[in-house]
Amino acid sequence: LHLKDLACPSPRWLEQELKRCSGPANLLPQLVECADVLGARSVHILLDFRNHPAESILQPNLADMQGPAVVVFMEGVTMSPEQLCALQNLPPHKQGLRRSCRAGPGLVCMYQAAEVASIVSGEGLYIFDPIGRHFVDQQQQDAVPVGKVHLFVNSDMPQRFPDQFLPFQIFGFDARQSFHGTIIRLPVNCTGNARPAGTPGSMEVKDMEELEARCEDTVKGECLLFLEDLERVAVSTWRDGQEDMKLVFKAGLQPPVSPSLRAARAAMSRNREWQKFSLMSVFVSASPIRSNVDLSIVSFSAKNNDSRVDRWRVHHTLGPRQARKFALEHHKTRGWIPLASVAALLGSVGGNGAEGSKLAEVKGQVFSYMPIGPSGLPVHINAWFEVGDSGRLIWPAVSGGGLEEDPPENLVVGATGREEELEWNRELMSCVVEAYADLLGDLPTLLSRDDLGDMYKLWPRYDETSPALKNALLRPLFSKLSDLQIYLLQSGQLVKMQGGVFRPSAASERLWVLFKDLFPIFAAPRSLAHDFRSAGVHDVPEISPERVRKKLKKDPKLIDSCAAALARAHPGDPEKVADEVVGLVGDALEYCLLDLSSHGTRSFKELHGARLLPVASGHVFCFPFEALVATELEQRLLPALRDSYVDMRCSERLSRWFHNPDFLSALSLRRFTPAILAANLQLVLPRHWKGQQFVAAYSAPGPVSGLPELGWFPEMWRFVGPDALHLVAAWPCLLLTTGALVSGSALPLTLSLPSPLPSLPAIEVGGSVSPFPVLALP
C-alpha cells in the first residue's frame, strides 16, 4: 500500500488550538486564509452533501467518512508529508511559512468539521485521525492518534479501493497520476450523536446548510483585500441526484491580474527595510514605510443572479519606531511584522452596468488578514494582530460597551495572562493610525472637484466606533488629522483645520446668510467637530457665540451686506425683506447670547459694539443703545419714538432676555413706563397745553388737526392707571363728553358720574348739551 506513518496532532493539542476558532460559521474564511498562506491563487470550497459508496475502502471503520463533507480545493498547491505534519503539530513560527494564519489556528481549524481529515496532494492520500476512533491497527489496544500517507501513484490502490478515492473524483483529480493541487475532505458528523462544540468533528449536516446560507456573508469578495497570494475564491454545493456541483458564490480579482499587482499585494510583508533598526533609531525618528494598491474585486451571487465589481483602495504601513522595535524584539520567536492596512470602497458597478455611490460606506471590520469582528468604522482595518479564544482580538475589557455588555457582537476577548500579545496589538494600532491617515489624506486626489465632499463618508464617527478602538485608534488618528490639509471649504478649497470653521449644530438655517460673510466655513458634516472634541482634540475651530460677537464688533456693516443679500433673494417684496432682516438679526442676537449671563464669567456687556438691535423704524443699531422695550399698545402711545423702540418681533421672541433687568441695564435699554410717557407727552399733545386746566380740543368748531385720535386717550389711561395719575396731572388729558379736555388739577370741578347707576336713565350726550361736564372715560 506504500504506507507511511505520520505525526498526528493529539486530542489535547487539538482541544487547545480549537479554542481559537470562532465556531463553525467562520470555518470557511479560516480555510480561505489557509489557502493564502500556502500560496494558492485559487481556492474552491465544496459543500458536498452526497453519500458515497463505502464497500471498497481502506478500513471498515472509515465507512462513516463517506458521507457529507466540507471539501477544500487549493489549486496549484502541493504539500509534502513533512509540511502537513508541521502545519498540524508545530507552533506557527516553526511551520516554515512566510506568514502564519492570523485569525485562527491554521490548518488545524479543519478539525472543527471532521474527526478524520482526508487529504489528496501530489502523489499521496493522507488520513489523519487524531481521536484514533476510525483508523485502527489490528494490534492497537487503545485509541491513539493516527496519521497515514498512502502513495497511490504507480500502485494498485485506486483499483483495490475505488470507493476510497471516489469522493475525490472532482476538480480534475485522477488517481493514476500526481495531482497538482490539494483536496482536503472533512466529513461531518452523521452518526446522530451530537458532539460538544469545540471538539473535533462537532459539525453536522445542518451546520453545512448554515454555511451554505451564510457563505456570502462569511466568504465575500472583501476576504481577498488583505491576502497576498489568493486571487479567486468560490463556494459550491453538490447534492445527491445532481450531475454536477452547483455554484453558490464566487469572487476574484478582476482579470487579468498583472505581475505588478501580484508583487504589490505581498510587497509589504516581504519588505525587510523595517528591520534595519539600530540604536540610533531611539534618538531619531523612523518614518513608516508606506504603499498603496488599487484592487477591483468581481463577485457573483447565484442566489441573486447578480454580479458586481467593487473598486478598493488599500493603504499599507510598516510601522513607526516603537512598533518596529517591539516587533524586532519578538521576531524570531513570534515572527511578528509591524504591518497594518486600511481599505476603502471607492465605488461599485452592478451587473447591469449601473454605477453605485462613490466612496460607499461599509460595515467596517477588524481583520487579522481575515475578519475577526466589527469595528464600527466606515472602512476595513487589518494588521498582524494576535487573536485569542473564539478568534477575537486580544484587548482589555472596555467599560461602557465592553465584554460584559455585548458578548455576541463584541470585537475583543480579555487579555488576562497575555500581556505581551496585548502590548503588541496596541503597537499595531499606531500602524493602523498611520495607514488610515494616509488613506484619508489621499482621498482628495481620487475624487473630482465636485465630489470632494464625499470623502467625509470614510471618516470615522466617534459614537459609532467600537469602544475598544476609541482610545487606541481614534484619539491619535483625530490628532493626526488635525494637521492635514484635507478640510474642504464651501468655496471648494482644501485647507488645514485652522483655515476654516465647522458649522455649529445650534445655528438656524437663516444664520447662514450671516455666517457665510463672517467665516470660511467647512463643507464637512457638523458631526466632525463633535468627533474631534470627543477624541480629545480641544482646539476645534467652530462658529461660536464669542467668535460671532468679535466679527460683528469688528465690522458693523456686515448686517448691511446680509440685508442686501436678503433683498436680492426677495425682489419686489420689501415687507418680506424687512421681516427676514429682523428675523436674521434676532437669530444672530439669540446665538450671541448662548454663552452669556448676568452671573457668569462673560456678562451681557460682551455685546457692546455688536450691531444686533433692530428698532421699529427698520434700522439696526449697535449695543449699547438707549432704546425702549414696548408693546404694540405702548408704541402707539408715542409713535414719534419709532427709532427708540426695539422691534417687537425681536423683543417678544427673545422676551427671556428683554425682560431681564441685568440684560436691559447692561445694554442701556429700558422698559416703557408711565413716567417715560409723561416725560414725552409733548410729542403727542401741543406743548403749550401743559399747565392748562381746560382746552377746547375736540369741542372747538372746525376741523381738528395735530391731535391724536379720540381712542388714544382711553388707551393712555389704561396704561397709566390710577397709581400714576400724578405724572400727567399737569396735562389736560381727561376727555369730556363735550370733546374738551381737562387736566387732573381741574378734576374736583368736573363731575364724573359713578359707574353703578342702575336706577338712573342713560345720559345721552350726543346731539344735546348735558347740563353737567361729564368725563368721557371708559
Side-chain angles (χ1 to χ4, degrees):
L1 296 179
H2 301 278
L3 182 68
K4 291 183 180 180
D5 291 326
L6 300 176
C8 185
S10 67
R12 176 176 293 183
W13 170 258
L14 281 187
E15 181 181 358
Q16 175 184 335
E17 290 297 294
L18 289 180
K19 288 180 180 179
R20 298 176 57 195
C21 296
S22 50
N26 288 315
L27 173 64
L28 300 191
Q30 291 174 357
L31 293 171
V32 169
E33 188 184 14
C34 287
D36 183 67
V37 299
L38 291 170
R41 289 187 178 173
S42 174
V43 62
H44 196 145
I45 298 174
L46 171 65
L47 302 176
D48 190 353
F49 292 92
R50 298 174 298 167
N51 289 280
H52 301 277
E55 297 178 0
S56 53
I57 55 177
L58 291 173
Q59 281 199 13
N61 287 347
L62 295 178
D64 290 343
M65 303 299 100
Q66 297 294 98
V70 178
V71 183
V72 185
F73 169 50
M74 303 179 194
E75 183 180 354
V77 173
T78 303
M79 289 188 281
S80 66
E82 294 75 17
Q83 186 177 23
L84 276 170
C85 292
L87 291 175
Q88 299 181 71
N89 293 279
L90 298 179
H93 66 280
K94 294 183 178 180
Q95 291 178 0
L97 300 174
R98 189 181 70 257
R99 80 167 180 89
S100 58
C101 290
R102 311 302 309 158
L107 191 62
V108 173
C109 74
M110 63 187 178
Y111 291 108
Q112 292 180 90
E115 275 193 335
V116 175
S118 302
I119 303 172
V120 165
S121 189
E123 297 182 358
L125 168 64
Y126 302 84
I127 300 178
F128 293 93
D129 182 9
I131 308 301
R133 185 178 296 159
H134 299 276
F135 208 102
V136 183
D137 290 337
Q138 293 180 354
Q139 299 82 12
Q140 182 177 323
Q141 299 297 323
D142 300 316
V144 296
V146 176
K148 303 285 186 181
V149 57
H150 303 270
L151 303 179
F152 55 81
V153 177
N154 297 323
S155 77
D156 60 352
M157 278 189 63
Q159 290 77 37
R160 293 177 56 190
F161 306 101
D163 290 348
Q164 192 73 56
F165 288 89
L166 184 61
F168 292 95
Q169 302 295 328
I170 48 178
F171 302 118
F173 171 74
D174 185 346
R176 294 171 298 180
Q177 58 190 9
S178 179
F179 184 58
H180 187 57
T182 297
I183 299 176
I184 302 174
R185 191 169 189 279
L186 308 172
V188 300
N189 177 18
C190 295
T191 63
N193 299 318
R195 294 167 185 158
T199 60
S202 60
M203 281 187 61
E204 301 178 5
V205 173
K206 64 179 182 180
D207 297 309
M208 290 178 59
E209 293 171 342
E210 182 70 13
L211 290 179
E212 178 185 6
R214 296 188 56 194
C215 73
E216 291 183 42
D217 296 324
T218 57
V219 187
K220 43 192 173 184
E222 292 156 59
C223 72
L224 298 172
L225 281 173
F226 305 111
L227 301 183
E228 298 178 351
D229 291 297
L230 196 65
E231 298 173 5
R232 299 179 300 280
V233 59
V235 179
S236 297
T237 60
W238 200 340
R239 287 179 165 82
D240 287 325
Q242 293 178 337
E243 295 183 359
D244 203 346
M245 64 183 68
K246 184 178 180 181
L247 181 67
V248 176
F249 174 81
K250 67 177 180 179
L253 302 186
Q254 190 171 39
V257 181
S258 66
S260 60
L261 177 57
R262 286 176 175 151
R265 294 180 73 203
M268 291 296 276
S269 68
R270 299 173 188 179
N271 187 307
R272 296 295 177 261
E273 289 296 316
W274 68 271
Q275 297 183 17
K276 297 177 181 179
F277 192 90
S278 64
L279 290 176
M280 287 300 295
S281 300
V282 177
F283 306 101
V284 298
S285 63
S287 299
I289 302 171
R290 313 172 192 274
S291 72
N292 63 76
V293 61
D294 291 324
L295 296 176
S296 292
I297 298 177
V298 184
S299 304
F300 172 76
S301 167
K303 177 181 178 180
N304 302 321
N305 192 28
D306 178 57
S307 62
R308 57 183 292 142
V309 180
D310 295 327
R311 296 185 300 105
W312 296 85
R313 165 62 64 95
V314 184
H315 275 258
H316 305 287
T317 297
L318 275 167
R321 179 175 62 84
Q322 188 60 28
R324 294 190 195 185
K325 181 176 181 294
F326 199 87
L328 281 176
E329 291 172 353
H330 301 83
H331 188 64
K332 289 185 178 180
T333 57
R334 297 278 194 172
W336 285 343
I337 298 177
L339 175 61
S341 310
V342 177
L345 181 58
L346 300 184
S348 302
V349 178
N352 56 4
E355 186 169 357
S357 60
K358 297 177 181 178
L359 295 188
E361 299 177 38
V362 297
K363 293 181 179 179
Q365 296 274 325
V366 176
F367 284 65
S368 188
Y369 285 85
M370 296 299 286
I372 59 177
S375 67
L377 299 169
V379 297
H380 296 311
I381 64 174
N382 174 69
W384 202 277
F385 290 121
E386 286 293 320
V387 298
D389 294 347
S390 302
R392 292 178 178 174
L393 185 69
I394 297 175
W395 204 259
V398 182
S399 60
L403 294 172
E404 308 85 359
E405 295 192 10
D406 193 14
E409 294 298 326
N410 207 330
L411 168 68
V412 302
V413 66
T416 304
R418 308 189 68 169
E419 285 74 17
E420 193 172 72
E421 288 107 321
L422 169 62
E423 187 62 27
W424 168 242
N425 285 344
R426 282 175 169 160
E427 292 297 336
L428 283 175
M429 282 298 176
S430 68
C431 306
V432 175
V433 169
E434 295 290 336
Y436 202 168
D438 287 346
L439 169 67
L440 296 181
D442 198 33
L443 288 179
T445 66
L446 305 176
L447 298 169
S448 66
R449 183 182 178 87
D450 294 337
D451 295 328
L452 282 177
D454 289 344
M455 66 181 174
Y456 297 109
K457 295 178 181 178
L458 302 186
W459 285 52
R461 262 81 76 189
Y462 191 87
D463 293 339
E464 298 177 13
T465 302
S466 169
L469 303 180
K470 288 183 177 179
N471 287 334
L473 175 61
L474 293 197
R475 286 183 176 272
L477 175 62
F478 276 107
S479 178
K480 193 174 187 66
L481 293 177
S482 64
D483 294 327
L484 300 183
Q485 190 171 331
I486 52 177
Y487 299 88
L488 179 66
L489 295 176
Q490 291 192 339
S491 63
Q493 181 183 2
L494 288 171
V495 296
K496 291 187 176 181
M497 193 164 72
Q498 297 307 317
V501 293
F502 288 102
R503 175 180 177 180
S505 57
S508 67
E509 291 296 329
R510 188 158 45 188
L511 277 177
W512 279 108
V513 179
L514 174 64
F515 286 170
K516 286 187 288 187
D517 285 344
L518 294 179
F519 306 102
I521 300 174
F522 293 137
R526 291 184 290 190
S527 58
L528 276 186
H530 164 76
D531 294 331
F532 272 101
R533 287 194 306 272
S534 300
V537 178
H538 301 294
D539 190 16
V540 180
E542 292 183 271
I543 298 177
S544 66
E546 183 180 12
R547 288 190 176 205
V548 173
R549 289 194 300 269
K550 287 182 178 179
K551 289 283 188 178
L552 290 174
K553 292 177 186 180
K554 186 177 180 180
D555 187 4
K557 293 183 179 180
L558 286 169
I559 295 297
D560 294 329
S561 63
C562 293
L566 291 171
R568 290 191 296 271
H570 304 285
D573 193 351
E575 291 185 5
K576 177 69 172 177
V577 173
D579 190 61
E580 287 292 313
V581 170
V582 173
L584 170 64
V585 174
D587 287 348
L589 177 56
E590 183 178 29
Y591 186 76
C592 289
L593 283 166
L594 289 178
D595 63 342
L596 300 183
S597 71
S598 56
H599 306 292
T601 56
R602 293 190 176 98
S603 72
F604 295 125
K605 290 185 178 181
E606 294 282 340
L607 289 170
H608 285 198
R611 192 178 170 202
L612 291 175
L613 182 63
V615 295
S617 63
H619 298 102
V620 181
F621 294 108
C622 293
F623 288 117
F625 184 79
E626 293 185 357
L628 300 171
V629 180
T631 65
E632 183 178 3
L633 167 64
E634 293 164 354
Q635 291 188 27
R636 286 203 304 266
L637 294 178
L638 286 178
L641 297 182
R642 188 171 175 79
D643 269 341
S644 297
Y645 293 127
V646 178
D647 193 295
M648 287 186 305
R649 290 169 291 187
C650 181
S651 61
E652 291 180 358
R653 173 186 158 191
L654 305 181
S655 59
R656 169 189 169 189
W657 286 283
F658 281 96
H659 284 82
N660 185 323
D662 295 322
F663 175 79
L664 297 176
S665 63
L667 302 175
S668 300
L669 302 175
R670 291 183 295 167
R671 292 290 305 175
F672 189 83
T673 63
I676 293 175
L677 173 63
N680 292 276
L681 277 177
Q682 70 276 9
L683 300 176
V684 181
L685 303 177
R687 187 181 300 270
H688 65 275
W689 282 10
K690 187 175 183 180
Q692 296 187 34
Q693 292 187 341
F694 179 91
V695 294
Y698 302 97
S699 63
V704 178
S705 63
L707 296 180
E709 296 181 0
L710 286 173
W712 181 90
F713 293 95
E715 290 183 347
M716 191 252 337
W717 285 111
R718 287 192 187 96
F719 175 69
V720 171
D723 294 336
L725 183 61
H726 64 283
L727 296 176
V728 296
W731 288 87
C733 296
L734 296 167
L735 180 63
L736 302 178
T737 55
T738 62
L741 294 169
V742 296
S743 67
S745 60
L747 190 60
L749 304 176
T750 306
L751 176 62
S752 177
L753 295 177
S755 55
L757 291 175
S759 61
L760 295 178
I763 300 173
E764 184 177 343
V765 297
S768 62
V769 179
S770 172
F772 307 103
V774 180
L775 287 176
L777 294 177

